[in-house]
Amino acid sequence: MAGHIDAIRDAVIGGKHGDIKTIVQEALNAGVDPNAIINDALISAMDVVGKDFGSGKIFVPEMLVSAVTMKNGLDVVKPLLAGNESRSRGTVIMATVQGDLHDIGKNLVTMMLEGAGFKVIDLGVDLSVERLLDKVKEIKPDVLGLSALLTTTMPEMKKVVEELVSQGLRKHVKVMVGGAPVDRVFAEKIGADGFGANAAEAVELARRFSVK
Ligand code: B1M
């Protein structure tokens, strides 16, 4: 088992985007738990990539290739997580806030929510406050999930909550926030309903928010 996990980690860190699907499939064939592949291999590899980027050991192109590699790996695991439950537990909008193009964490949360039986409308990345508000009015979700990976884009989350209040929509939708620089204190400060440190916590929160 450890050999498969290490092989996936090494492939993501080394940016082996063409090989990763085979390596993940081999791990699955050998009986490795899909959740272990996500948490102990794919996410853990991106932590190493992030540290290497932060310390100047690698640069944006290498980080991007690792991100693509991780995404390719997730694609193989995704069908095993989604659609485990037949009835929708509620509707969740997911998006990254304006200025933020980091979508791996958001995609992971989306996948886990779908796997837990939620209907998820993934609006993608770089969503302006105006567009998010339009979508909330149109879709009327139970939960609005916002992701941010940059300290410079976190304030967008506050703007979204403020705009929901000023347009009288706040009591109709729960706001869930997450992303590496976000924490519980920040979530409380901006008036969000909850913070998810990871995809599993996000699912727990969404369950609590939309009891159906
Ligand atoms: Co960027 N980047 N990046 N990057 N990048 C970080 C975030 C950074 C910390 C790297 C570093 O310096 N060490 C740094 C931010 C520093 C800061 O703000 N203080 C940074 C920077 C600076 C930048 C650029 C500005 C670099 C440049 O161009 N000079 C640029 C900005 C682009 C933009 O957004 N406008 C940039 C670009 C990129 C790439 C495009 C190359 C690529 C993104 C590719 C993509 O996403 N499609 C990238 C990557 C890959 C990273 C790192 C290495 C990895 C992020 C990631 O995918 N992690 C990252 C360093 C790091 O975080 N280790 C870094 C794995 C992912 C599964 O974790 O997203 O945290 P995460 O999601 C978790 C939880 O946070 C949570 O659940 C997930 C699963 O556990 N979660 C939620 C996330 N959203 C949630 C929502 C919820 C609940 C839980 O409810 C709604």
Side-chain angles (χ1 to χ4, degrees), residues 11-17 20 42 45-46 49 58 60-74 101-104 107:
V12 173
I13 294 166
K16 299 202 165 45
H17 57 94
I20 187 75
L42 296 171
M46 287 313 288
V49 171
I58 62 166
V60 172
E62 288 99 325
M63 184 161 75
L64 194 48
V65 179
S66 287
V68 168
T69 308
M70 183 197 183
K71 223 169 177 179
N72 289 349
L74 277 177
L101 305 177
H102 296 86
D103 66 354
I104 295 174
N107 294 344

Side-chain angles (χ1 to χ4, degrees), residues 160-175 190-194:
V160 174
V161 176
E162 285 170 352
E163 200 52 32
L164 285 169
V165 172
S166 83
Q167 295 198 25
L169 296 165
R170 187 66 188 90
K171 61 179 182 302
H172 300 299
V173 63
K174 297 283 187 191
V175 178
I190 66 167
D193 296 289

Side-chain angles (χ1 to χ4, degrees), residues 43 46-47 49-51 53-54 60 63-64 67 70-71 94 99-106 108-109 144-152 176-180 196-199 202:
I43 293 181
M46 287 313 288
D47 284 341
V49 171
K51 283 191 188 109
F53 176 72
V60 172
M63 184 161 75
L64 194 48
M70 183 197 183
K71 223 169 177 179
M94 284 292 295
D100 212 311
L101 305 177
H102 296 86
D103 66 354
I104 295 174
K106 169 190 69 65
L108 201 49
V109 173
L144 172 61
L146 301 173
S147 183
L149 263 286
L150 297 171
T151 46
T152 49
M176 170 165 81
V177 293
N198 51 49

